[in-house]
Amino acid sequence: RGLAVMATTTISFSRVAPKFAEYHQSAGNVSAHVATTVLGFVGFGCLVTRCCVAVCGRAREESARAVSAAAWLAYAVAVGAEVPGSVGVSCGCVCLFVALASARADWGWATSAFAVAAAYCLQDVAHWYYGEETYQAHSWGESGALDLFVEHCYYLLPLTLSCASRETRAVASLLPMALAAWANYAIDSDSRWGLPFMSTKRRLLVGKLQTKTEREDMAACRAWCIARGPSETTTSHWWVGDLDEATHAAFERLVQSETIRALFRSKFREGYVVEPVRGMNELYVSASLDGGGPKTSDDVFFTQHVDGPFCFFPFASVYRCILALDDNAPGFETRFPNARFGLEARSGDVLAFDFHRESHYITKHNRPLPDGDAKFRIVLKLHYVAAPAPVFWCCGRLLRRLSVGYNVLFRSLFLATIAPTSRLSALTADLGVLGGTVLYNAIEKYVGYANLTYYATVAALALAARDYAVFLYATQFLHYFRYIYTYYDRRDVAYGQFQRDALLYKTVAITQLLWIYAAPSLRLAPCALPDDDAHRLGGRRCAFGLDLPLVLAGYAVSLAATNALGIDGTYFGIELNVVKADYKFVTKFPYNVFPHPMILGQCLAISAIHLARHVRHHYPLLAPIHIALYLVHMLQEIFDFHDGVPWYRRHPAANAHPPPKRD
């Protein structure tokens, strides 16, 4: 009946908004309504998707999911035409978030219905908590109450946003950005929770093709390349479309190899779809001899680089799979610094890595080359796209299309500069291809594009909320949780990436902590202490005192401990089998003076920072949380709490010499 009324009765946002606003005056109540409305919409979106899939059937599941998402965008357009501009923009952003979040969540019938019911009940709880009557209670007994209820539901999102503060609307508008930041962490089965402080698993896939059919197909592809007369001084490339019919069939059988499929199932397990990206597949021959002369685009392979530019793309990954066709006589090795792994791929070896996210480079061992065709190193470059099944229709297929387009364009530039014939082409190779590669890789190497997305998102949320504390508390404690989680779950950790993230998180946190502490005393920032505090201090609003030497002493001890252990030793190198040493290998200062010097030095410094009156006044919980998390991790190390056997049970004789403790 309500839907019929909506079709025959004129309803408008302007008619219902004043009535709604009467019962939503409290800022806290309105903010709670915005949050619960988003929750309810995500649950309702999952129900709509379930209905669409049930109607269309499994054969048209992707089309059904696309229709469900399109319905939210249509709703945003329809509502946006009636509401004020800023409210309309916020509605559009929230609807985009709901479309993607409900598609990715893909809750079942019961969970979706529970989310809708919970949102409804929590809104009543918010009214009770903030002491405001509900709009529904005053309209339910009126004539046409059901009509008003349907109208209320249709306009619920713009109504809550119109009553919300500018800061709340700004935060709501950033929900798609927050989802994208989360999606850059949640990209495979090992990272499905998408939390930056969880241990990052190695994303390389390594295997070997060994069956008779696979060997025959590999030999056929290599014979085709040799027949084309590859160059000895520059790389040679052929698209899969250049192959003759028989070789193309052999190539395609290798693409569909069960060995390769099993590799991808080990990383992208239940709930993921993995499909070939045939438009990027090629046969590749390495230059077996050094051509000498000026730099060319071939030099990019010997430079740390990331192959593709779509590192920010949510949920989906494109993998490049290197399949070696011979014994690799020239001795080329592919190295992955973030994973601390390298492989000199030989006949049948398979090495797969994320095309848009994994930094790598080539080294050459320069062994004596054999005569004849064996001197060439020939590989197949196979490509696959992986994404969660509920969003493969949008994220997986779109990333595949973008990757193919980029690969074609970049290969054209690469081939144009592989053998420069003019100063312009040489400059393009040196600055355009090589320079751009170095810069792009440096960001991934030292920061990480997923981390960059996270920091950008929390910075935007802090600006929207007009509260620096949002950014501060969202970035202060990440390294502690990463320490604790990685120390516990040590299996297959991408050590280089862990070390990069831990250093980045700690640097950002400590830099802010020191700025808060020192900037007012150095008159680089206002002290902002109340006048009565300044009076009690004899006019010294913010000044260094006994706290300064304690801060310096604490960090000096911590740095000395880092120097004694080394960077790899500091960041769990022994526990993660990167440093080959036992637990008693450090005997110099400060470990020969007192135990746990790194953690205790940090705790001393942070406690001294907390002594500063302006720090305690503005951020009373900041230092205590730091110290509490440090002590939790110290206890974890003392008792060697992880998912394996503790060190003191593996080495009973070493009980009198516990391992050096770090941060």
Side-chain angles (χ1 to χ4, degrees):
R1 179 169 176 262
L3 292 176
V5 170
M6 290 178 66
T8 58
T9 305
T10 301
I11 64 172
S12 68
F13 174 81
S14 58
R15 185 169 70 88
V16 70
K19 301 177 184 178
F20 184 88
E22 290 180 21
Y23 302 98
H24 299 84
Q25 299 290 321
S26 167
N29 187 24
V30 174
S31 296
H33 270 61
V34 172
T36 52
T37 298
V38 172
L39 171 64
F41 272 37
V42 171
F44 184 70
C46 291
L47 288 175
V48 171
T49 301
R50 289 285 169 185
C51 291
C52 290
V53 171
V55 171
C56 296
R58 289 293 176 184
R60 297 182 178 180
E61 181 174 345
E62 286 196 356
S63 298
R65 293 184 181 278
V67 168
S68 175
W72 287 106
L73 303 182
Y75 169 74
V77 171
V79 170
E82 294 187 58
V83 302
S86 62
V87 175
V89 170
S90 295
C91 285
C93 292
V94 171
C95 287
L96 176 60
F97 169 82
V98 169
L100 292 175
S102 59
R104 178 63 185 92
D106 198 34
W107 292 332
W109 293 100
T111 304
S112 304
F114 177 79
V116 174
Y120 182 89
C121 295
L122 287 173
Q123 291 194 353
D124 279 354
V125 171
H127 275 284
W128 167 79
Y129 182 82
Y130 288 100
E132 290 191 312
E133 296 182 288
T134 64
Y135 174 43
Q136 179 180 305
H138 285 264
S139 60
W140 194 258
E142 298 176 2
S143 176
L146 184 58
D147 308 340
L148 292 174
F149 177 73
V150 172
E151 183 181 53
H152 183 177
C153 290
Y154 179 77
Y155 286 117
L156 180 59
L157 179 61
L159 286 171
T160 55
L161 290 173
S162 66
C163 293
S165 65
R166 186 170 63 177
E167 290 78 10
T168 301
R169 283 201 301 272
V171 170
S173 300
L174 291 171
L175 286 176
M177 186 178 181
L179 180 65
W182 176 76
N184 269 274
Y185 289 104
I187 51 177
D188 56 42
S189 297
D190 291 325
S191 60
R192 60 187 181 276
W193 294 108
L195 300 174
F197 55 77
M198 297 181 72
S199 62
T200 304
K201 302 301 182 181
R202 199 171 68 178
R203 304 192 72 232
L204 304 179
L205 306 176
V206 182
K208 196 173 187 69
L209 302 189
Q210 296 179 332
T211 68
K212 180 181 178 182
T213 301
E214 290 168 342
R215 292 287 181 179
E216 291 174 349
D217 291 337
M218 289 161 52
C221 291
R222 191 175 195 280
W224 186 92
C225 287
I226 295 297
R228 294 301 176 277
S231 170
E232 296 183 9
T233 57
T234 62
T235 57
S236 302
H237 308 251
W238 291 280
W239 291 119
V240 67
D242 298 330
L243 301 176
D244 58 43
E245 185 175 349
T247 310
H248 187 279
F251 191 104
E252 185 60 26
R253 284 193 294 272
L254 292 172
V255 169
Q256 300 288 355
S257 164
E258 179 56 33
T259 302
I260 295 177
R261 288 182 172 274
L263 280 180
F264 280 99
R265 284 197 297 270
S266 69
K267 176 59 67 173
F268 301 95
R269 296 184 282 276
E270 184 179 358
Y272 279 81
V273 174
V274 179
E275 291 186 358
V277 185
R278 293 181 172 83
M280 296 175 67
N281 290 344
E282 63 175 298
L283 297 88
Y284 172 86
V285 185
S286 302
S288 54
L289 300 176
D290 184 0
K295 288 185 177 181
T296 71
S297 52
D298 267 349
D299 292 313
V300 74
F301 299 119
F302 296 90
T303 305
Q304 287 191 29
H305 64 283
V306 179
D307 285 325
F310 301 116
C311 51
F312 296 110
F313 204 89
F315 297 121
S317 301
V318 164
Y319 264 68
R320 168 164 283 176
C321 183
I322 303 297
L323 171 57
L325 301 184
D326 49 46
D327 289 331
N328 189 5
F332 288 97
E333 180 181 356
T334 307
R335 299 201 61 82
F336 300 86
N338 280 347
R340 296 287 183 94
F341 178 82
L343 178 67
E344 189 177 326
R346 299 177 183 273
S347 182
D349 285 339
V350 178
L351 177 60
F353 56 93
D354 195 317
F355 183 79
H356 296 291
R357 294 183 175 93
E358 195 73 57
S359 177
H360 61 286
Y361 63 98
I362 304 296
T363 61
K364 186 179 179 183
H365 296 295
N366 289 321
R367 293 190 290 261
L369 293 176
D371 296 328
D373 300 338
K375 64 186 174 185
F376 293 106
R377 179 245 192 182
I378 304 176
V379 302
L380 303 185
K381 291 185 177 181
L382 315 178
H383 299 83
Y384 302 84
V385 60
V391 293
F392 189 85
W393 64 272
C394 56
C395 296
R397 296 194 183 281
L398 179 56
L399 182 59
R400 174 164 58 189
R401 184 180 294 273
L402 291 172
S403 300
V404 170
Y406 165 79
N407 197 53
V408 171
L409 291 174
F410 188 81
R411 187 181 171 195
S412 299
L413 174 63
F414 177 85
L415 293 176
T417 56
I418 198 172
T421 56
S422 65
R423 290 184 177 181
L424 178 60
S425 59
L427 182 65
T428 302
D430 198 7
L431 296 181
V433 177
L434 299 177
T437 297
V438 169
L439 176 62
Y440 187 84
N441 179 79
I443 298 174
E444 173 61 26
K445 180 178 180 180
Y446 296 109
V447 179
Y449 286 99
N451 293 329
L452 191 62
T453 313
Y454 174 79
Y455 281 115
T457 300
V458 294
L461 290 170
L463 287 172
R466 298 185 177 185
D467 189 354
Y468 167 64
V470 172
F471 182 85
L472 178 67
Y473 283 101
T475 58
Q476 278 292 289
F477 313 114
L478 291 175
H479 55 296
Y480 300 120
F481 291 111
R482 176 63 74 89
Y483 297 159
I484 293 168
Y485 200 102
T486 303
Y487 192 96
Y488 180 80
D489 185 6
R490 305 175 179 182
R491 293 167 295 179
D492 205 26
V493 172
Y495 182 76
Q497 191 169 343
F498 159 68
Q499 190 177 103
R500 177 203 67 191
D501 292 349
L503 284 168
L504 174 69
Y505 296 161
K506 184 172 182 178
T507 299
V508 172
I510 297 300
T511 299
Q512 293 180 87
L513 192 61
L514 291 177
W515 175 263
I516 290 170
Y517 165 67
S521 300
L522 297 174
R523 299 185 179 180
L524 299 175
C527 184
L529 270 177
D531 290 337
D532 56 342
D533 279 4
H535 178 73
R536 287 198 302 271
L537 289 169
R540 296 185 304 109
R541 295 178 65 83
C542 294
F544 293 126
L546 179 61
D547 48 87
L548 180 59
L550 294 177
V551 170
L552 295 176
Y555 281 123
V557 169
S558 182
L559 289 174
T562 301
N563 181 65
L565 286 171
I567 292 297
D568 286 352
T570 298
Y571 291 99
F572 308 150
I574 297 176
E575 291 83 353
L576 299 178
N577 296 317
V578 174
V579 175
K580 302 303 179 183
D582 60 33
Y583 280 117
K584 298 181 288 182
F585 80 103
V586 180
T587 58
K588 61 182 180 180
F589 180 83
Y591 287 96
N592 59 353
V593 177
F594 54 89
H596 319 298
M598 191 174 296
I599 291 179
L600 295 180
Q602 297 269 356
C603 288
L604 173 64
I606 294 172
S607 298
I609 288 174
H610 190 64
L611 291 177
R613 193 177 296 267
H614 59 282
V615 177
R616 293 202 310 276
H617 175 76
H618 294 291
Y619 305 104
L621 296 178
L622 188 59
I625 295 175
H626 272 281
I627 294 170
L629 291 173
Y630 254 135
L631 295 179
V632 167
H633 179 51
M634 186 176 74
L635 290 173
Q636 181 186 29
E637 285 196 329
I638 290 173
F639 295 102
D640 200 24
F641 181 69
H642 65 96
D643 61 350
V645 180
W647 68 270
Y648 51 82
R649 292 183 179 175
R650 296 196 308 271
H651 309 287
N655 283 353
H657 303 280
K661 304 306 174 187
R662 35 201 165 263
D663 54 351

